[in-house]
Amino acid sequence: MKRIGLVTSGGDAPGMNAVIRAVTRVAHSEGLEVLGFEHGWDGLISNRFRMLTPRNVGGILHVGGTILHTSRSPEFRKPEGVRKAADALAVNCVDGLVVVGGDGSMQGALALSKVSDALIVGIPATIDNDVYGTEETVGFDSALNTAIVEIDKIRDTANSHDRIFIVEVMGRMRGFLALTIGLTVGAEVILVPEVEYSLESIVRTLEVNGAKGKKAGIIVVAEGIGDTHKLMREIAKKAAVEVRLSVTGYAQRGGNPTARSRLLANLFGEKAVQLLLNQQGTMMACLENGKVTSIDLKEVCSNEKQLDLSLMKLAQTLAT
Ligand code: F6P
């Protein structure tokens, strides 16, 4: 192992830069050269990269986004695109590649590992925390904290006006962000795609709370449940209460990574380089029982991470 590549792919996540810094510096400390492919898989397909050195990755640890840029690459979804990416690794004598991203990026990493001679290792980094095999992804904690800061402020207005607020958070079709955010802001109702809900039960909860003198409320909704504007109108009509909608949106993707996201980035970065040095490809760095370890990419890509529904019950108990 002499030269490794690094690519950030899919949605950016706070802590990706910390991963770039960690991989580059650990790799250099082991005598490896590092090529940073730019704009996600597109950078491999079009052979666009820059050399990463311990010095030129300075000053990025605390910065959100990714200095390598990222993309969602339609071309990489085709076998021809994967083939071109493998060619770029071969032509540049890259012996190992670190792929930093979410679920889709890990699928891409596995596809590439099937046609490339280079060893491929993944680092899970997405605000959605929906990657199987790891308790946490880089960026998840940062997105949680961004949302919490915003919702705590919304709570002030909800209390002052005796209003119900629906707060839509990201997470694609999964509820990891919504559930954890809901629990940690004390949401009165949490809606996630994994759990069926009924308008009647939401209204009942609001009515029971109202009868207890609790007129304000926060309903945290995962974007994956669908049309939140419609939901707002339906709740307002049925419960005869004032309802407002606030969408946290892309603000959750940016900003400085929290200490926890930085720590994971550093530990996963080190692990990924160690895996490559040990000639272990088609693997992903992961967090299991609070410890950094690794898991086969095939297992990651053939399983679905489960939401801990006991947290939903706890959130309901605590929001009385
Ligand atoms: O995967 C991260 C994420 O922010 C999801 O929460 C969201 O659904 C999606 O990306 C948005 O994707 P795009 O950046 O392509 O609009």
Side-chain angles (χ1 to χ4, degrees), residues 151 155 178-179 181-191 209 214 217-221 315-316 318-320:
I151 298 174
R155 175 73 79 178
L179 180 53
I181 291 167
L183 178 66
T184 50
V185 300
E188 279 65 28
V189 177
I190 303 170
L191 304 182
N209 286 350
K214 195 178 185 187
I218 301 282
I219 303 177
V220 171
V221 178
Q316 281 161 358
L318 296 179
T320 49

Side-chain angles (χ1 to χ4, degrees), residues 10-12 72 102 126-128 130 169-173 177 223-224 249-250 252-253:
D12 64 322
R72 302 196 189 275
T126 163
I127 63 165
D128 299 342
D130 58 350
V169 299
M170 279 196 157
R172 204 175 284 278
M173 290 311 294
L177 265 177
E223 61 178 351
Y250 288 90
Q252 277 170 98
R253 282 250 289 266

Side-chain angles (χ1 to χ4, degrees), residues 111-132:
L112 184 57
S113 73
K114 291 180 182 156
V115 297
S116 172
D117 290 336
L119 299 178
I120 314 290
V121 163
I123 292 183
T126 163
I127 63 165
D128 299 342
N129 200 27
D130 58 350
V131 180
Y132 180 86

Side-chain angles (χ1 to χ4, degrees), residues 59-229:
I60 63 169
L61 170 66
H62 62 295
V63 182
T66 159
I67 59 159
L68 288 176
H69 301 265
T70 184
S71 65
R72 302 196 189 275
S73 169
E75 207 186 335
F76 191 74
R77 292 203 189 100
K78 302 178 201 146
E80 187 49 30
V82 179
R83 187 70 260 163
K84 282 186 190 164
D87 290 347
L89 295 178
V91 96
N92 294 301
C93 303
V94 173
D95 309 307
L97 178 74
V98 180
V99 179
V100 187
D103 199 29
S105 304
M106 294 308 119
Q107 302 278 353
L110 180 62
L112 184 57
S113 73
K114 291 180 182 156
V115 297
S116 172
D117 290 336
L119 299 178
I120 314 290
V121 163
I123 292 183
T126 163
I127 63 165
D128 299 342
N129 200 27
D130 58 350
V131 180
Y132 180 86
T134 187
E135 279 153 18
E136 196 174 324
T137 53
V138 173
F140 177 59
D141 183 67
S142 306
L144 291 179
N145 280 285
T146 299
I148 287 171
V149 167
E150 184 170 321
I151 298 174
D152 286 348
K153 290 176 183 166
I154 290 173
R155 175 73 79 178
D156 293 341
T157 302
N159 286 341
S160 304
H161 285 260
D162 290 330
R163 258 183 206 164
I164 303 299
F165 271 87
I166 294 176
V167 184
E168 181 189 314
V169 299
M170 279 196 157
R172 204 175 284 278
M173 290 311 294
R174 303 305 311 273
F176 296 98
L177 265 177
L179 180 53
T180 317
I181 291 167
L183 178 66
T184 50
V185 300
E188 279 65 28
V189 177
I190 303 170
L191 304 182
V192 293
E194 292 85 348
V195 181
E196 247 186 82
Y197 73 91
S198 73
L199 188 61
E200 287 68 31
S201 80
I202 299 172
V203 170
R204 207 175 319 118
T205 303
L206 299 180
E207 284 170 354
V208 168
N209 286 350
K212 286 187 295 199
K214 195 178 185 187
K215 307 281 184 205
I218 301 282
I219 303 177
V220 171
V221 178
E223 61 178 351
I225 74 125
D227 189 343
T228 41
H229 284 90

